[in-house]
Amino acid sequence: MAAPMELFCWSGGWGLPSVDLDSLAVLTYARFTGAPLKVHKISNPWRSPSGTLPALRTSHGEVISVPHKIITHLRKEKFNADYDLSARQGADTLAFVSLLEEKLLPVLIHTFWIDAKNYVEVTRKWYAEAMPFPLNFFLPGRMQRQHMERLQLLCGEHRPEHEEELEKELYQDARECLTLLSQRLGSQKFFFGDAPASLDAFVFSYLALLLQVKLPSGKLQAHLRGLHNLCAYCTHILSLYFPWDGAEVPPPRQTPVSPETEEEPYRRRTQVLSVLAGLAAMVGYALLSGIVSVQRATPARTPGTGALGMAEGDEEE
Amino acid sequence: MCNLPIKVVCRANAEYMSPSGKVPFIHVGNQVVSELGPIVQFVKAKGHSLSDGLDEVQKAEMKAYMELVNNMLLTAELYLQWCDEATVGEITHARYGSPYPWPLNRILAYQKQWEVKRKMKAIGWGKKTLDQVLEDVDQCCQALSQRLGTQPYFFNKQPTELDALVFGHLYTILTTQLTNDELSEKVKNYSNLLAFCRRIEQHYFEDRAKGSSSIRLS
């Protein structure tokens, strides 16, 4: 067999294996099928072979970057999670994926990229910290503009005075969609019985992002938490297929203070170091420019007391 | 299908009259409601609904299939009308600009085309070729055909909103003359979908549609 397939996707954060919707979906599908992929988790889209993430480099060197096409390619390489589905279930998959894209995707984009609080405190913060210099200055802003344009085109041209109404409608549609998904799932483990299929990968990626990320204004989260079967479904997949990534979730959840205390020693250290550096710079400058001079003759006089005073070294000179 | 009395009116500025910018819309008393979803809700609020007999899971499936149709068939129709050069040049520009005098017909047609192309790019269809679009339509029809199976309507004996939506799209595809018939050929491959359209046309439209185009089964 030729070189193994390589998948480039956004790295993990917020307790999830990946912070990006498409990357998460593709990664989940790959885990479901046990495809032998070499996964590169990067946070610089310019390092990916196609310039965007996620991207799959096949064993023949071809690069695919549309998520649906990546999954189709994996299917062709005999990693097919939908193998056991009947024709009717395959049709249902198509239909439910369309439902997700029409109803949940706009709200997801809005929650993470348009909602001011969320964008500044969560999304932009993560991307700015994760991306290397100097990309972190302009890429998050560019991504936001792209998402905003996409959202505008998806929802049709809306006039500014109707924006609040549009937002309410969007969230209403999303809540309805989540309820429908919950009813379709019922008490099953996965959407089509006991084995996961591609639909599960897509639904999981949407739900995981909405549920696991701590958002300052999570209007949809409250509704989603009320749908217990969807929450259980989400945690079940996380614990089953992403055990080591999922393990990062508990500590930040227990106490909101703990992330602060973990940073404390580092913060203290940085503070002390910066103060010392500042002091050393000042003293060094003072010594070098001759404002003060250090006396070594009399042991009684310590450099500390003599440093800030005027130079009284008559005996020396 | 609900047996509600309606009068169909064709206006050139229908898109501008509509509150959301999209057709169709209905004008009832002093209320104007546009697009299928809100119209269905509105009619339901007045006491007429086709999907009352469905259970929750079926309602979920119905909504999902309606989105599938919107996602694939509607976008494919838009693509074919506005992004396929042959069709655009011969049919769409002429048809869209016909109510207006020159040069308005040209300007409006180009504006609409630019708008549609932008939307296609945003949803990722900008780079698709005609063949890929037709393949997607085929997949969609296959899914619908499998869901319909041998039943008379999608949810067995009674028609629902899904049947109305699917009929609307398929009928338009089958009866509109375009430069190439590939789109209607794709639909004609599925005999149960054809029979479905014929059945609805006969049942609900035959007495009203005297002399207008009917489905050609070639």
Side-chain angles (χ1 to χ4, degrees):
Chain A
M1 203 167 149
M5 298 187 280
E6 294 173 48
L7 178 70
F8 295 84
C9 59
W10 283 102
S11 50
W14 305 325
L16 292 172
S18 174
V19 297
D20 173 56
L21 183 72
D22 295 326
S23 310
L24 194 55
V26 173
L27 209 58
T28 317
Y29 184 83
R31 287 282 167 94
F32 283 164
T33 55
L37 285 178
K38 213 165 127 198
V39 180
H40 298 274
K41 286 200 179 162
I42 55 181
S43 48
N44 182 355
W46 290 7
R47 278 213 284 149
S48 124
S50 70
T52 57
L53 294 169
L56 179 78
R57 186 186 280 142
T58 66
S59 32
H60 309 291
E62 200 191 322
V63 176
I64 311 178
S65 52
V66 178
H68 282 275
K69 291 221 181 99
I70 295 181
I71 293 188
T72 315
H73 181 81
L74 286 175
R75 269 203 209 127
K76 276 200 263 184
E77 297 283 325
K78 309 281 193 283
F79 297 109
N80 191 354
D82 297 336
Y83 193 67
D84 295 320
L85 295 184
S86 69
R88 165 88 174 255
Q89 288 172 324
D92 279 348
T93 305
L94 266 184
F96 276 98
V97 168
S98 298
L99 185 71
L100 286 174
E101 281 180 17
E102 288 277 327
K103 302 278 173 172
L104 272 189
L105 184 61
V107 165
L108 209 75
I109 296 181
H110 187 274
T111 307
F112 278 90
W113 295 94
I114 316 283
D115 184 289
K117 252 178 135 197
N118 287 344
Y119 174 63
V120 170
E121 290 178 32
V122 179
T123 321
R124 190 174 67 180
K125 185 159 168 258
W126 188 88
Y127 280 97
E129 280 172 10
M131 287 187 191
F133 178 86
L135 294 174
N136 56 349
F137 283 114
F138 63 90
L139 261 187
R142 198 197 319 170
M143 287 170 79
Q144 192 207 21
R145 274 191 293 277
Q146 280 175 339
H147 278 111
M148 213 184 287
E149 202 188 314
R150 188 166 169 199
L151 189 64
Q152 269 191 336
L153 287 170
L154 272 179
C155 303
E157 306 296 321
H158 60 274
R159 290 140 273 193
E161 61 268 18
H162 292 231
E163 207 163 304
E164 283 247 350
E165 268 180 43
L166 196 77
E167 218 183 281
K168 259 207 303 199
E169 218 183 283
L170 273 185
Y171 277 89
Q172 175 125 3
D173 279 342
R175 277 193 282 269
E176 207 187 296
C177 177
L178 288 173
T179 319
L180 287 176
L181 283 174
S182 174
Q183 282 160 355
R184 180 67 177 75
L185 181 63
S187 51
Q188 298 170 211
K189 276 212 325 219
F190 296 103
F191 273 91
F192 297 119
D194 288 331
S198 57
L199 179 62
D200 298 287
F202 285 108
V203 175
F204 169 70
S205 58
Y206 281 89
L207 294 182
L209 275 175
L210 280 173
L211 202 57
Q212 304 281 34
V213 184
K214 287 170 68 143
L215 297 167
S217 66
K219 306 175 221 183
L220 211 52
Q221 261 182 358
H223 182 83
L224 187 51
R225 294 236 166 92
L227 297 167
H228 298 292
N229 62 346
L230 287 182
C231 297
Y233 170 78
C234 200
T235 16
H236 176 66
I237 293 187
L238 251 184
S239 59
L240 207 61
Y241 291 96
F242 299 102
W244 44 95
D245 300 308
E248 288 163 28
V249 181
R253 277 263 193 86
Q254 275 158 7
T255 24
V257 187
S258 43
E260 310 289 334
T261 48
E262 275 170 26
E263 290 175 334
E264 277 294 305
Y266 296 109
R267 203 196 287 169
R268 273 272 169 264
R269 189 183 70 176
T270 341
Q271 280 175 344
V272 169
L273 275 179
S274 47
V275 168
L276 277 179
L279 264 180
M282 284 197 321
V283 169
Y285 177 74
L287 286 175
L288 283 174
S289 59
I291 299 176
V292 296
S293 51
V294 177
Q295 310 309 312
R296 257 174 256 158
T298 28
R301 212 190 291 175
T302 52
T305 47
L308 291 174
M310 287 180 292
E312 287 167 36
D314 299 318
E315 293 140 323
E316 285 297 301
E317 284 165 8
Chain B
M1 287 179 180
C2 293
N3 279 326
L4 295 170
I6 52 161
K7 197 170 96 170
V8 179
V9 178
C10 301
R11 290 278 162 76
N13 59 343
E15 276 184 331
Y16 300 103
M17 283 205 282
S18 153
S20 75
K22 297 211 174 114
V23 282
F25 65 91
I26 58 172
H27 182 199
V28 178
N30 59 352
Q31 283 177 306
V32 183
V33 183
S34 66
E35 292 187 66
L36 181 65
I39 292 180
V40 167
Q41 299 275 49
F42 180 78
V43 170
K44 193 165 174 181
K46 301 284 179 186
H48 299 269
S49 172
L50 290 175
S51 50
D52 280 338
L54 300 178
D55 67 28
E56 299 299 338
V57 175
Q58 287 178 313
K59 279 203 181 133
E61 283 183 17
M62 184 182 85
K63 286 265 158 77
Y65 276 95
M66 283 174 79
E67 289 307 328
L68 176 67
V69 170
N70 273 335
N71 206 355
M72 294 228 163
L73 282 185
L74 182 63
T75 325
E77 285 163 17
L78 273 179
Y79 180 92
L80 201 61
Q81 276 188 323
W82 292 101
C83 303
D84 177 42
E85 294 308 324
T87 321
V88 166
E90 273 193 43
I91 298 182
T92 319
H93 268 186
R95 189 168 57 181
Y96 191 75
S98 58
Y100 308 104
W102 191 91
L104 200 57
N105 56 354
R106 288 300 203 167
I107 297 174
L108 288 178
Y110 276 117
Q111 194 185 36
K112 178 86 178 167
Q113 185 180 17
W114 182 73
E115 231 179 84
V116 171
K117 281 202 167 150
R118 252 178 82 205
K119 184 167 177 199
M120 291 290 152
K121 224 172 101 172
I123 55 176
W125 280 53
K127 301 227 175 76
K128 286 202 179 175
T129 63
L130 186 61
D131 288 324
Q132 284 172 327
V133 170
L134 289 172
E135 213 182 283
D136 283 337
V137 171
D138 194 43
Q139 249 190 356
C140 179
C141 290
Q142 196 182 31
L144 288 172
S145 174
Q146 273 153 4
R147 185 68 180 76
L148 182 62
T150 48
Q151 301 166 125
Y153 298 108
F154 276 95
F155 289 96
N156 215 2
K157 298 285 181 342
Q158 295 300 323
T160 57
E161 287 94 16
L162 178 60
D163 300 280
L165 183 66
V166 172
F167 172 73
H169 280 280
L170 293 183
Y171 185 79
T172 318
I173 291 177
L174 290 168
T175 55
T176 313
Q177 286 277 32
L178 291 175
T179 47
N180 63 353
D181 286 326
E182 286 174 30
L183 195 59
S184 54
E185 289 302 318
K186 290 280 175 194
V187 177
K188 284 187 190 157
N189 280 333
Y190 298 96
S191 54
N192 62 346
L193 290 181
L194 267 184
F196 168 79
C197 287
R198 206 77 186 82
R199 196 180 312 123
I200 293 192
E201 195 199 359
Q202 272 175 336
H203 206 187
Y204 294 101
F205 290 98
E206 209 82 294
D207 45 355
R208 286 168 240 190
K210 291 196 182 75
S212 60
S213 58
S214 61
I215 297 172
R216 260 161 252 124
L217 289 163
S218 50

